[in-house]
Amino acid sequence: MTTDATLNLRRDGALAWLEITNPDRMNALTAAMWQQFPDCIAEVDNDPSIRVIIVRGVGQRAFSAGADISEFKTARTGNSAKDYDALNHNAFLALTNTTKPTIAMIHGFCLGGGLGLAACCDLRLGDQNSQYAIPAAKLGIGYNPRWVTPLLALTSPANVKEILFTGRRINAEEALQMGLINDLLDAEKLQSETETLATTIAANAPLSVAASKRVINELVHHPETPDLYKLDEAIQRCFKSEDYKEGQQAFLEKRKPNFQGR
Ligand code: COA
């Protein structure tokens, strides 16, 4: 039986799970799935009960083996290649720009657009079987310059050149050493450890986490001309928040804070 290729949004308390679902093709991403990202993320962004977004592939064989190559002949050829890349890019932008912290939970293959997506998440946890590559040069694909910035934020230009020039597969230990992933875990523990990390972040003050995300993204994307005025505003918003008072009060009363995101 063939499963429909789709991006599935599931809520579980403060966590939203975005599940890349195309198990017959190693969770390859179709054009329709790229198109689903901005809507799913907007839905989560508008839901104050959600504090963290986790992106994963269904099953344990693959986070995603990248763009669905079987569509390329029709959807990513000649002039349509630009439109296809725009769909793909809007998905990356939505993930980069969501105010909520994002975690990529990576079982198995994380290739091409799959690695591109993971690199647009704030944090990445991989299992010991995870493998990473961008095989664009093996397929004759021109790798979009906009997608290189997130990679350069994780690892050195020399490493990114090696990844793009060779298209070779990088194992989990090497990925950890290169900085492509934050941590490496046993496959059986990956989900529970991801949930622990997400729950820890979800318990913290949302405005404070969102401000840090905004600051880091701005400094990465506009290193020469960061909009410090906007960043200062985000920081001031934290100091004026009820959560700032709650954080101090909880500390003095020796209890856990109960943050509301305002
Ligand atoms: N697009 C479309 N279908 C894909 C796919 C992709 N990116 N990646 C895997 N599949 C499909 C395979 O064609 C195969 O389909 P089939 O059963 O109908 O033949 C199925 O998924 C299982 O993959 P298979 O190659 O048999 O498994 P494997 O364990 O031998 O190898 C990969 C797995 C991921 C290493 C290999 O499929 C691969 O290299 N995929 C392409 C990765 C890639 O180049 N991504 C970048 C795209 S821009």
Side-chain angles (χ1 to χ4, degrees):
M1 197 181 78
T2 309
T3 313
D4 281 344
T6 190
L7 183 67
N8 194 28
L9 169 60
R10 196 167 54 78
R11 288 176 171 79
D12 180 14
L15 312 186
W17 292 82
L18 278 183
E19 296 170 337
I20 303 166
T21 308
N22 191 358
D24 298 333
R25 293 193 172 145
M26 295 282 178
N27 295 327
L29 291 142
T30 62
M33 287 161 79
W34 289 125
Q35 214 160 0
Q36 283 179 283
F37 270 90
D39 287 345
C40 284
I41 287 172
E43 200 178 320
V44 174
D45 252 339
N46 291 327
D47 181 346
S49 70
I50 298 295
R51 299 264 174 104
V52 180
I53 302 172
I54 302 167
V55 186
R56 66 166 298 173
V58 289
Q60 294 205 353
R61 287 196 306 170
F63 175 78
S64 170
D68 189 328
I69 302 168
S70 67
E71 288 186 332
F72 283 7
K73 247 191 181 150
T74 48
R76 201 182 193 184
T77 184
N79 289 336
S80 71
K82 220 172 167 188
D83 297 338
Y84 184 97
D85 270 24
L87 279 185
N88 186 330
H89 188 56
N90 286 339
F92 286 0
L93 273 186
L95 206 47
T96 305
N97 291 336
T98 166
T99 55
K100 318 262 173 173
T102 53
I103 303 173
M105 180 181 114
I106 304 166
H107 280 296
F109 295 111
C110 181
L111 310 176
L115 180 49
L117 266 183
C120 290
C121 289
D122 299 315
L123 301 168
R124 284 147 295 281
L125 301 183
D127 77 9
Q128 81 268 35
N129 305 317
S130 57
Q131 294 190 46
Y132 305 81
I134 298 184
K138 290 184 187 287
L139 293 158
I141 288 172
Y143 199 70
N144 195 310
R146 292 161 195 81
W147 308 342
V148 178
T149 305
L151 296 169
L152 287 172
L154 302 181
T155 191
S156 69
N159 283 339
V160 178
K161 283 178 182 166
E162 190 185 332
I163 289 168
L164 291 175
F165 292 0
T166 67
R168 78 174 173 91
R169 277 199 236 145
I170 292 162
N171 68 28
E173 280 87 15
E174 204 184 344
L176 180 65
Q177 191 216 327
M178 278 184 171
L180 292 181
I181 53 176
N182 293 77
D183 207 354
L184 167 55
L185 296 145
D186 288 343
E188 314 76 65
K189 289 200 182 139
L190 182 64
Q191 180 154 346
S192 60
E193 292 290 330
T194 305
E195 284 173 356
T196 301
L197 174 64
T199 309
T200 302
I201 297 169
N204 283 339
L207 291 176
S208 188
V209 174
S212 293
K213 171 167 179 165
R214 191 165 181 180
V215 167
I216 295 161
N217 279 0
E218 180 73 10
L219 295 177
V220 165
H221 289 278
H222 307 286
E224 313 267 320
T225 53
D227 188 344
L228 288 172
Y229 180 77
K230 281 261 174 268
L231 298 183
D232 284 340
E233 269 184 352
I235 302 303
Q236 282 311 310
R237 211 175 147 212
C238 297
F239 283 118
K240 289 177 186 160
S241 69
E242 288 172 27
D243 282 350
Y244 178 49
K245 290 182 197 139
E246 166 64 6
Q248 296 165 59
Q249 198 63 28
F251 177 80
L252 296 173
E253 291 171 9
K254 300 190 187 306
R255 62 171 172 83
K256 281 192 180 151
N258 181 14
F259 292 123
Q260 302 296 326
R262 52 178 189 260

